[in-house]
């Protein structure tokens, strides 16, 4: 039976079309409004998370490290940042440059340095958020970031700002730039990827592992041919080459550079390297244990009957190119780290792993998180919040315990010695202290804690401290600080005693914290007076790289003064 036909008048048909068009526009407007509200809500959640991360972990860092001075790595970043170079004898320069920029705004104080540390890890969390936004949204996107609060790499390890910690912020943004560049092939994205890739490499050569992972992800993708036919990869490569070129040129002419330093870390027997690799794997598993437990809890909370649907969805997702690309970017850096360490006889440390697991929660969300919702997010929030509260409550007692037990860091009076040596120098020389050398931890600490912020004459070597030359030594003199147990430092000090200098001792210097008295430390200090002819000369017949760092002194040495002065 045929359906009856309804004949509409032209005017009525036109009215119906207008009503339908208006409804379509209103619906599109509602969808756009809903998306905009969701973006604002997501942005507000991100701001709240970042604010809580910075605020809470900054307080924890200040409490836990209350009795201690900043770590030697942090003082090293400050000292190097003050001497703008295209590279330094241990590492490339980017992280030290950032320290210089930070302290151009903030004072040289512990609280400012720890603020830099937690801001650095927070920038990494925002980078993970940006990557997550290309795969998931809502509760899953927030959880992909929030779950990282359960990993100590993003707080307790991150407190020590160094060439490893900077990767926390650089790696996620480099991955984000790569994904955008690969998927859109826009020139702006390609330039951003080139710049961030250079930042990763100029922070530490370990960044090469990330760049290799990006190359693997690009070449194993079925769309690799389209990408390689575009201008994007070549724009990224050109920007990267231009950005790293000055450092490369510096490395070719530097007397001592990061590759020389790396060579000193590759002389171990294979059995030792294999054991360290095993220790690295076990350490990473343990440090990610709370994260793994939380993912198991979230999985168990998903509704009954959901696993089959999730497994089916996961099977489909794995086939999607973007998800496979993410899998490569998660797995390749971990595997490449182990391969390079074993092949190159590099001693691995869990500190290398700081940036390696940033996208693991996101990958779990993409593959297994189809049933992840508000209930699971609340569980993650409770776990992260509970960890933060516990960290605040236990921070001060932990500091007191570490003050009693950690003799190599917490009890050392580096800031006290820096202040005392500065006062002694000013009283004896009537000029600001401009150069300091000696036991490494104390020399670096003096660059930070002394009000004069002197330059560090690293290991008494112009190869490692090219900002120190004979003209500066002669014009400005230097202060040498040696622990009484540091025979190598005392040996270097002996070469300066023929000049007009004041030798003194700081005996049994110690800290106080909460009524506790730290272990005493004693020091020999030599103040070499400015205005003398001090010249360094290398032995032309020296063939031992380590020994050649020692430079003989020649010049018009005055009558040396030796004084035993009490601790001020």
């Amino acid at each position: 039976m045929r359906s009856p036909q309804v004949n509409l008048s032209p005017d009525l048909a036109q009215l119906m079309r207008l009503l339908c068009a208006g409804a379509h526009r209103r619906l599109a407007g509602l969808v756009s409004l809903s998306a905009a509200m969701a973006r604002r809500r997501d942005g507000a959640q991100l701001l709240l998370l970042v604010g809580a991360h910075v605020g809470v972990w900054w307080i924890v860092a200040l409490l836990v490290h209350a009795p201690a001075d900043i770590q030697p790595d942090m003082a090293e970043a400050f000292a190097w940042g003050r001497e703008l170079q295209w590279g330094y004898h241990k590492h490339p320069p980017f992280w030290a440059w950032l320290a210089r920029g930070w302290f151009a705004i903030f004072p040289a104080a512990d609280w400012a340095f720890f603020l830099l540390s937690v801001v650095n890890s927070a920038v990494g969390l925002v980078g993970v958020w940006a990557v997550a936004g290309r795969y998931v949204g809502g509760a899953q996107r927030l959880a992909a970031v929030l779950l990282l609060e359960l990993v100590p790499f993003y707080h307790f390890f991150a407190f020590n700002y160094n060439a490893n910690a900077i990767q926390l912020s650089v790696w996620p943004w480099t991955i984000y730039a790569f994904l955008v560049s690969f998927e859109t092939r826009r020139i702006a994205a390609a330039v951003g990827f080139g710049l961030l890739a250079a930042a990763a490499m100029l922070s530490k050569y370990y960044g090469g592992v990330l760049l290799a992972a990006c190359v693997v992800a690009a070449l194993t993708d079925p769309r690799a041919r389209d990408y390689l036919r575009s201008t994007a990869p070549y724009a990224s490569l050109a920007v990267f080459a231009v950005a790293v070129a000055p450092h490369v040129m510096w490395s070719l002419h530097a007397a001592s550079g990061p590759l020389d330093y790396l060579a000193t870390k590759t002389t171990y027997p294979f059995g030792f390297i294999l054991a360290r690799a095993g220790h690295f794997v076990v350490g990473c598993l343990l440090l990610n244990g709370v994260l793994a437990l939380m993912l198991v809890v979230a999985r168990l909370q998903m509704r009954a009957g959901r696993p089959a649907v999730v497994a089916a969805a996961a099977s489909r997702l794995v086939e999607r190119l973007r998800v496979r690309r993410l899998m490569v970017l998660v797995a390749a850096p971990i595997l490449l780290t182990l391969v390079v360490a074993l092949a190159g006889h590099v001693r691995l440390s869990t500190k290398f792993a700081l940036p390696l697991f940033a996208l693991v929660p996101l990958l779990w969300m993409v593959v297994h998180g189809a049933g992840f919702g508000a209930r699971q997010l609340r569980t993650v929030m409770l776990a992260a919040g509970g960890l933060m509260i516990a960290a605040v409550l236990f921070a001060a007692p932990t500091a007191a315990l570490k003050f009693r037990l950690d003799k190599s860091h917490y009890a050392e009076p580096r800031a006290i010695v820096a202040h005392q040596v500065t006062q002694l120098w000013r009283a004896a020389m009537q000029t600001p202290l401009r150069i300091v050398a000696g036991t490494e931890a104390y020399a670096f600490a003096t660059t930070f804690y002394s009000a004069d912020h002197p330059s560090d004459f690293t290991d008494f070597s112009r190869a490692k401290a090219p900002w120190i030359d004979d003209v500066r030594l002669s014009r400005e003199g230097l202060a040498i600080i040696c622990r009484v147990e540091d025979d190598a430092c005392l040996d270097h000090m002996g070469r300066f005693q023929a000049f007009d200098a004041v030798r003194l001792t700081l005996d049994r210097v110690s800290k106080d914290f909460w009524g506790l008295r730290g272990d005493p430390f004693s020091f020999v200090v030599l103040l070499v007076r400015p205005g003398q002819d001090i010249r360094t000369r290398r032995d032309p017949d020296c063939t031992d790289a380590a020994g050649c760092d020692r430079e003989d002194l020649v010049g018009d040495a005055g009558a040396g003064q030796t004084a035993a002065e009490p601790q001020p």
Side-chain angles (χ1 to χ4, degrees), residues 415-435:
I416 294 174
V417 171
H419 292 312
Q420 291 182 357
V421 170
T422 302
Q423 293 171 2
L424 291 167
W425 176 273
R426 289 179 174 180
M429 309 302 174
Q430 303 300 311
T431 62
L433 176 60
R434 297 302 185 196
I435 302 175

Side-chain angles (χ1 to χ4, degrees), residues 168-381:
L168 287 172
S169 59
V170 174
W171 278 38
W173 283 108
T174 304
I175 292 174
Y176 173 76
F178 164 72
L179 290 172
V180 175
S181 176
F182 186 90
E183 294 169 7
T184 68
R185 305 185 188 96
R186 293 197 302 263
I187 292 298
V191 170
F193 174 49
L195 288 174
L196 286 164
M201 200 67 178
L202 290 175
S203 295
K204 189 173 183 178
Y205 291 164
Y206 183 52
V209 168
L210 173 64
L211 304 189
C214 291
V215 172
V216 172
L219 295 181
T220 56
D221 194 287
R223 298 172 59 191
R225 182 174 298 180
D226 296 335
Y227 177 63
L228 294 174
R229 285 176 175 174
S230 72
T231 58
Y234 309 104
S236 297
L237 184 61
V239 171
F240 174 82
V242 170
V244 302
H247 173 70
V248 172
M249 295 302 297
W250 172 88
S251 298
L252 293 175
H253 296 91
S256 179
L259 291 178
D260 302 304
Y261 177 72
L262 178 62
T264 67
K265 305 297 181 181
T266 59
T267 58
Y268 305 99
F270 184 75
F272 175 79
I273 295 299
L274 188 62
R276 293 297 300 181
H279 180 271
F280 173 82
V281 172
V282 173
C284 289
L285 291 175
L286 292 176
L287 291 168
N288 285 278
V290 177
L291 169 62
L293 178 62
M294 185 50 54
L295 292 178
V296 171
V297 171
R299 189 71 175 82
L300 294 175
Q301 283 186 338
M302 292 179 183
R303 294 194 301 271
R306 196 71 179 176
V309 177
V310 173
S315 178
R316 293 193 299 272
L317 284 173
V318 171
E319 299 303 319
R320 291 175 54 181
L321 302 180
R322 294 176 64 247
V323 177
R324 189 170 9 164
R325 203 175 304 134
L326 178 62
M327 289 179 173
V328 174
L329 291 171
V330 170
I334 301 172
L335 297 176
L336 287 172
T337 296
L338 293 171
V339 170
V340 171
L342 294 176
H345 283 233
V346 178
R347 184 184 64 181
L348 276 180
S349 166
T350 50
K351 296 176 182 178
F352 286 21
L354 264 65
L356 288 180
F357 301 93
L359 300 183
V360 168
L362 170 60
L363 181 60
W364 188 92
M365 290 294 163
V366 172
V367 176
H368 296 293
F372 192 96
R375 180 187 176 193
Q376 289 74 32
L377 179 61
R378 283 195 296 270
T379 302
V380 175
M381 293 175 68

Side-chain angles (χ1 to χ4, degrees), residues 2 26 31 95 144 165 253 259 397 402 461 475 513:
R2 301 179 65 181
R26 285 194 293 273
V31 172
W95 63 292
H253 296 91
L259 291 178
K402 291 179 77 68
S461 169
R475 182 180 66 244
F513 179 69

